[in-house]
Amino acid sequence: MAVIMDGKATSAKLRKEFLEKVSLLKEKGVTPGLAVIIVGEDPASQTYVKNKEKACVECGYYSEKYALPEETSEAELLALIEKLNGRDEINGILVQLPLPKHICEDHVIRAIHPLKDVDAFHPENVGHIMTGDFAFVPCTPAGVMELLKEYDIDPTGKRAVIIGRSNIVGKPAAMLLLHENATVTVCHSRTKDLAAICREADILVAAIGKLEFVTRDMVKPGAVVIDVGINRNAEGKLRGDVNFDDVVDLASYITPVPGGVGPMTITMLMQNTLRAACIQNNITL
Ligand code: GUN
């Protein structure tokens, strides 16, 4: 039976550490500040944004939320970002994706000042992730790495297989695992013999966005299985990209959904915001 990797408990521990660091920062007159922008009414995005605000309160950060109507123009959104770029009390700016179709995500991502880009989506920060000299790490892959660390799983020399090649998860997760000395394979919808490649994985990361896609035949006995998916099943329950019940007795470690990578993602956003506040104020904690 696999060890269930508890993202909720790991998150709570880290957030407590951030709260302690924030009290040191406050003594120096600095409170980390995060601005979260949401455009439109997507219910999943609204839930994520609410959870990000809650995390700010838990960690003692200052936060501002901008809930803009669906019909907001790209120019209006860019003007808001420009204003936030110029404000000292805002250390991080997060624009919740996806955006309505009439707004170009690339324009928006590039408008955020790289030192306030706590999602690490700006091309400058993406470049830093490639070379390994990064301050901000994309939140979901960072959450995956932090969970591995919490459970003393060293990727060095291991075969890591990632299913999914998105800019938000798959590609940066590949880089982070490579920096930690794993041998990394990225699979996607055009991959041939996907199940056979997955079966070679010591660490299998599922980031496809397809309900319970990973089944028993795709998992090597003793593998670490990390589930990044957030999907709803026919009964409306949250489930991952891994068929948990099918795999749980085969894996050595597995993340549940909910309660695995999900809470870690937001915790890593808090870590990036804390780093942003330190960098912008020349403080080393
Ligand atoms: N939408 C889904 N995941 C993310 C994320 O990590 N950051 C932002 N800004 N939007 C998202």
Side-chain angles (χ1 to χ4, degrees), residues 37 45 48 52 94-98 119 121 138-140 168-169 265:
I37 305 172
S45 291
Y48 296 145
K52 286 166 186 175
L94 181 137
V95 180
Q96 187 66 33
L97 303 178
D119 261 327
F121 291 167
C139 302
T140 304
I168 294 184
V169 184
T265 296

Side-chain angles (χ1 to χ4, degrees), residues 213-270:
F213 178 85
V214 174
T215 46
R216 198 174 174 82
D217 59 303
M218 299 165 78
V219 176
K220 175 159 96 175
V224 175
V225 179
I226 307 283
D227 192 347
V228 175
I230 303 177
N231 314 288
R232 291 209 182 260
N233 68 7
E235 289 115 60
K237 295 220 166 80
L238 277 186
R239 291 290 179 265
D241 288 352
V242 176
N243 188 326
F244 185 90
D245 294 339
D246 204 28
V247 165
V248 67
D249 66 331
L250 198 58
S252 58
Y253 292 84
I254 190 166
T255 63
V257 176
V261 175
M264 293 299 293
T265 296
I266 297 183
T267 300
M268 294 299 99
L269 173 68
M270 296 297 106

Side-chain angles (χ1 to χ4, degrees), residues 2 10 15 48 71-72 86 112 114 131 157 163 177 215 249 269 285:
T10 308
R15 288 182 195 187
Y48 296 145
E71 58 275 13
T72 302
I112 298 169
T131 53
I163 324 174
L177 283 159
T215 46
D249 66 331
L269 173 68
L285 283 179

Side-chain angles (χ1 to χ4, degrees), residues 169-186:
V169 184
K171 285 187 214 167
M175 280 303 131
L176 299 185
L177 283 159
L178 190 58
H179 292 320
E180 293 301 323
N181 310 307
T183 303
V184 180
T185 304
V186 181

Side-chain angles (χ1 to χ4, degrees):
M1 203 66 174
V3 172
I4 314 287
M5 301 170 89
D6 190 340
K8 240 174 128 171
T10 308
S11 280
K13 195 170 88 175
L14 287 167
R15 288 182 195 187
K16 208 166 141 248
E17 283 173 27
F18 300 157
L19 182 66
E20 283 160 14
K21 286 186 177 162
V22 167
S23 71
L24 296 177
L25 271 186
K26 284 183 177 168
E27 282 170 19
K28 299 176 195 284
V30 174
T31 300
L34 176 67
V36 179
I37 305 172
I38 178 169
V39 186
E41 312 275 318
D42 178 63
S45 291
Q46 284 176 329
T47 304
Y48 296 145
V49 165
K50 215 177 281 164
N51 288 336
K52 286 166 186 175
E53 282 183 284
K54 265 204 272 186
C56 280
V57 173
E58 196 181 330
C59 296
Y61 298 4
Y62 170 68
S63 76
E64 287 182 4
K65 177 183 162 186
Y66 296 85
L68 307 179
E70 177 84 20
E71 58 275 13
T72 302
S73 70
E74 184 178 304
E76 284 170 315
L77 179 56
L78 294 178
L80 171 59
I81 292 170
E82 206 43 57
K83 218 159 75 188
L84 294 167
N85 278 339
R87 285 178 52 203
D88 288 347
E89 70 276 30
I90 298 297
N91 305 112
I93 303 168
L94 181 137
V95 180
Q96 187 66 33
L97 303 178
L99 286 166
K101 291 207 168 28
H102 64 276
I103 300 177
C104 170
E105 283 185 0
D106 189 49
H107 290 169
V108 171
I109 287 167
R110 285 171 187 267
I112 298 169
H113 192 289
L115 290 179
K116 295 193 176 185
D117 170 37
V118 283
D119 261 327
F121 291 167
H122 191 288
E124 195 173 310
N125 288 321
V126 174
H128 286 307
I129 291 151
M130 286 286 280
T131 53
D133 65 336
F134 48 82
F136 304 139
V137 206
C139 302
T140 304
V144 171
M145 299 309 289
E146 201 63 41
L147 267 181
L148 292 176
K149 196 167 122 195
E150 176 66 20
Y151 286 84
D152 289 324
I153 299 162
D154 179 1
T156 299
K158 298 214 167 76
R159 281 292 307 272
V161 174
I162 297 158
I163 324 174
R165 54 173 157 177
S166 70
N167 288 335
I168 294 184
V169 184
K171 285 187 214 167
M175 280 303 131
L176 299 185
L177 283 159
L178 190 58
H179 292 320
E180 293 301 323
N181 310 307
T183 303
V184 180
T185 304
V186 181
C187 298
H188 47 81
S189 54
R190 307 285 181 90
T191 297
K192 294 209 169 77
D193 298 325
L194 178 72
I197 296 169
C198 291
R199 270 198 306 274
E200 292 174 8
D202 302 307
I203 300 172
L204 183 62
V205 180
I208 329 123
K210 283 193 184 156
L211 177 70
E212 297 174 335
F213 178 85
V214 174
T215 46
R216 198 174 174 82
D217 59 303
M218 299 165 78
V219 176
K220 175 159 96 175
V224 175
V225 179
I226 307 283
D227 192 347
V228 175
I230 303 177
N231 314 288
R232 291 209 182 260
N233 68 7
E235 289 115 60
K237 295 220 166 80
L238 277 186
R239 291 290 179 265
D241 288 352
V242 176
N243 188 326
F244 185 90
D245 294 339
D246 204 28
V247 165
V248 67
D249 66 331
L250 198 58
S252 58
Y253 292 84
I254 190 166
T255 63
V257 176
V261 175
M264 293 299 293
T265 296
I266 297 183
T267 300
M268 294 299 99
L269 173 68
M270 296 297 106
Q271 176 163 276
N272 282 341
T273 305
L274 183 61
R275 284 188 185 154
C278 290
I279 292 167
Q280 287 160 39
N281 292 285
N282 281 318
I283 295 170
T284 329
L285 283 179

